[in-house]
Amino acid sequence: MNPPLHHRRIVVTRPAAQASALMQSIRELGGEPLLLPLLVIEPLPDPHQLRQAAETLSTARFAIFVSPNAVEQALPLLLAHGSWPEGVQAVAIGPGTAHALQQAHITDVLCPRQQYDSQGVLALPELQTVDGQRILIFRGEDGKAELGDGLQARGAQVEYIPCYRRLLPQDTAQHLADLLSSDPPDAFIVTSSEAARHLFSSAGESLLKQLQSIPIGVTHPQIGDTVRAHGGSAVEAGSGGDLALLKALSAAPDVPPPPVTTGRTVMPEPTPASPVQPQRPGLGERLVERINPTLLVALVALGILIWQWRDNSLQLSQLRSEVGLRLAETGAFQKQSRDLIERIERARIEERSRLVTLETRMAESQSQQATLAALYQNLNQHRDSLLLAEVEQLLMAASQQLQIANDPRAALVALEGAQSRLALEDNPKFLPLRQSVGKDIATLKTLPNVDTVNLTMRLDAMLAVVDNLPFSIDSRPQQAPKLPNVKEEPDSLSKEIWGEIKQLIRIRRIDKPDAPLLPAEQTYFVRENMKLRLLSARTALQQRDENVFRTDLQAVRQSLQGFFDTQSMDVKQSLTQLNQMLATPLQVKLPDLTASLSALGSLKTLQEQELTAGAHP
């Protein structure tokens, strides 16, 4: 039984570096692979974005690779500083990309199981909730934005990292003409829409009809749409990968292409001669009698020669394709070697510059260390003077906080800092100063605390509800209780008299004055005036100006009582908050630090006397 692709010549249009696996699969199925690269993959001349991504890779949550080319071009730089960082999930768009990642010892790889495209990646359960997460997409230059747009719509922070660029070979038209004229192939395999467009543009008008008659295997419906848009015959394989595509091509019917005219004489390929069978009854015996044995031997020899020529031609074509593949692989390997050498040279230059920088920093550190040693010696000689200077600064800061800023908390922090600094020195002469500072700290801790933060939050809350407070003129009066039903009288005149009597009596409350009638434009100014008063009260609160604070709050309370519906729950809560804030005192009598400053002055005088005595023994 013949294999599925027995004696079928199939053209592989992938780049040379990625075509070997597919060509080997064609050979295993009995076919003859031919290489016609429609795209050339080259690294970027300046991969600065890729270098930046390598430095910040550990901060990402997902790293998505859209092709094996992206893995091949990006991983050497991403892994130049170490292994793959933990916490960064690698995602492959298909099995080939996943295999390339696993070859680089990245075992934990997410990959779609059926649909190997952007929609398949977006359907992964791990990528459904990515709000606020950083995702890197490693792709070719000018790639599609469908995957990134889908992730951004879910709230992710997407960054595109170009790793390579795709170029169109210039000699594709000549190679295509040679393929179609000598021995036309049975099928093409195209794995990208860009390659499909380049294939049909290279065919021209003279080769277009012949190319349209040859089946073209595609790996994605979008590529099939591109082929059909150019009049080609697309064979789709679904989601089974290269093997499914080859099986689909084996099931495709053979369509003989029309003859092609390329400007040169093309000799028709001879076919093996078949034995002549008698077609007409009665002529067999006469035909056998007329056959010359020598001619029969010559015909058999000619058939053998034609068969050998055909077999040699097939072997030569296969050998030519294998040599071309090997040459392409060798060229790709040499190019990768050159790139690797260039990367090593750049890394060596960078390491050398880093070494020079480290040596410079080490020299600076040694100089700074010597300077610090000298400073430490000087400071050690005047340690007590430095301590008194630090304590003096802290006491002056505490005094300024009390006298200028009116902030006892800040003053307490400064005094506690001075006390902790004095506690580190085990010297009896500092004891009076420590006692004075301790008394001032105890005095400040006993002061009542004015919670300005809570008051500010209350004022902000009132500002937020001013626009929603109802005016008294907008409130609806409560419905009067219904009078008990009067037994209906049969006489209609009695009903009419009873209705007139009810209209003679009207009940009205006189214990509450009528609400002022405000036009619509005046209600806006009333609310804005209340907001201004509340803002002024908040400013006075920060400045501890109790008179302005109380005046503004009283004005707001009068406006609430005079213009708004005091029966409303919001108005009642606002009045309650105002009364509580008016009952809170803002002014607190703050102590001074005279005792501590006097003790400090005495110590400074004693220290100066000791230094003078030491300078003049």
Side-chain angles (χ1 to χ4, degrees), residues 265-280:
T265 303
V266 180
M267 297 296 296
E269 182 180 353
T271 57
S274 58
V276 180
Q277 300 292 337
Q279 301 296 326
R280 300 174 59 184

Side-chain angles (χ1 to χ4, degrees), residues 294-305:
T294 305
L295 179 61
L296 181 61
V297 172
L299 289 176
V300 172
L302 179 61
I304 294 174
L305 290 176

Side-chain angles (χ1 to χ4, degrees), residues 169-211:
Q170 301 299 324
D171 54 353
T172 305
Q174 183 62 37
H175 292 331
L176 182 60
D178 295 339
L179 278 174
L180 297 179
S181 61
S182 61
D183 190 4
D186 298 296
F188 283 79
I189 293 179
V190 179
T191 56
S192 71
S193 298
E194 187 177 4
R197 289 189 290 268
H198 182 49
L199 176 63
F200 282 96
S201 64
S202 301
E205 296 181 358
S206 60
L207 303 175
L208 182 59
K209 291 184 178 180
Q210 186 178 9
L211 181 61

